[in-house]
Amino acid sequence: MSIREIVKMGNPVLREVAEDFSVEEIKSTETKDLLEDMWDSLEAAGGIGLAAPQIGISKQLAIIKLSSESDRYPDMEDSETYVIFNPKISVIDDNEQGFWEGCLSIPGLRGYVERPRKIRVDFLDENAAQKSIEIENFLATVFQHEIDHLYGTLYVEKMKDITTLTFEEEMVLEG
Ligand code: ZN
């Protein structure tokens, strides 16, 4: 187990389309070790989601866990723990909702991003079982943000108004 370095915007790996996992790869010891490192790295960074490309691995894997103890996102309720391999998004409700997004690969900044409110995500879980979940609200935004990482996209490209790009210390967090 170890904490991996999180690469930052400008690193080419964040612009690649990540490769799918095979079932055998998902079940391998290497992948279980990688997952442990990703959870350690996410916890150390105080984040709520991490995609494999953010630690320099261009593979279709992300982890998500909303935590009520997050300093980065106050007033959030705990979520389940999600490990998603090879995820695919289908939009269920394309009415958009906006949140102030941040990214461990773009430290210190937030930007206002609007995304579809409700989605379905089909993926393989850590046992390589096929899963399908429907999610909405902030959790849907977090999934879309992390899955964007697997296709070389960062939240700043999703902003409609670049003037909302803001340093965290300039933000007045509510609550
Ligand atoms: Zn991110």
Side-chain angles (χ1 to χ4, degrees):
M1 294 194 296
S2 56
I3 294 166
R4 307 276 190 105
E5 185 188 348
I6 294 174
V7 301
K8 297 190 180 73
M9 182 167 62
N11 189 305
V13 73
L14 293 175
R15 295 304 180 188
E16 292 175 18
V17 176
E19 285 182 26
D20 277 348
F21 277 81
S22 67
V23 168
E24 292 69 33
E25 282 177 311
I26 291 172
K27 293 179 172 176
S28 71
T29 309
E30 289 79 3
T31 299
K32 292 191 188 330
D33 291 346
L34 169 62
L35 265 174
E36 279 196 30
D37 285 0
M38 285 180 67
W39 284 116
D40 290 347
S41 304
L42 181 62
E43 188 178 349
I48 56 178
L50 185 68
Q54 292 183 275
I55 56 166
I57 296 170
S58 190
K59 299 280 283 180
Q60 293 272 335
L61 166 62
I63 59 174
I64 291 166
K65 169 91 173 78
L66 306 194
S67 168
S68 56
E69 287 165 20
S70 169
D71 293 331
R72 286 172 55 78
Y73 296 91
D75 300 328
M76 192 166 53
E77 289 182 16
D78 287 328
S79 77
E80 282 178 52
T81 296
Y82 297 97
V83 174
I84 57 172
F85 291 93
N86 305 349
K88 299 279 184 291
I89 290 179
S90 311
V91 174
I92 294 173
D93 180 353
D94 64 5
N95 284 306
E96 295 199 324
Q97 59 181 358
F99 290 102
W100 287 91
E101 296 190 23
C103 182
L104 296 174
S105 295
I106 312 175
L109 290 166
R110 294 292 172 100
Y112 193 75
V113 184
E114 292 172 62
R115 300 178 185 268
R117 195 190 69 77
K118 186 171 184 183
I119 59 172
R120 188 178 75 236
V121 184
D122 295 292
F123 60 97
L124 299 175
D125 71 8
E126 53 193 312
N127 301 312
Q130 184 73 50
K131 289 279 170 70
S132 183
I133 55 172
E134 290 187 6
I135 46 178
E136 56 192 335
N137 303 325
F138 184 59
L139 188 59
T141 275
V142 175
F143 268 76
Q144 290 172 83
H145 176 120
E146 296 308 329
I147 293 169
D148 272 352
H149 275 301
L150 307 181
Y151 291 88
T153 298
L154 299 173
Y155 79 81
V156 287
E157 290 105 63
K158 298 280 177 160
M159 294 172 59
K160 294 193 176 101
D161 180 358
I162 197 70
T163 69
T164 68
L165 194 62
T166 303
F167 281 99
E168 284 169 342
E169 63 260 37
E170 299 289 350
M171 290 186 75
V172 180
L173 292 174
E174 292 167 23

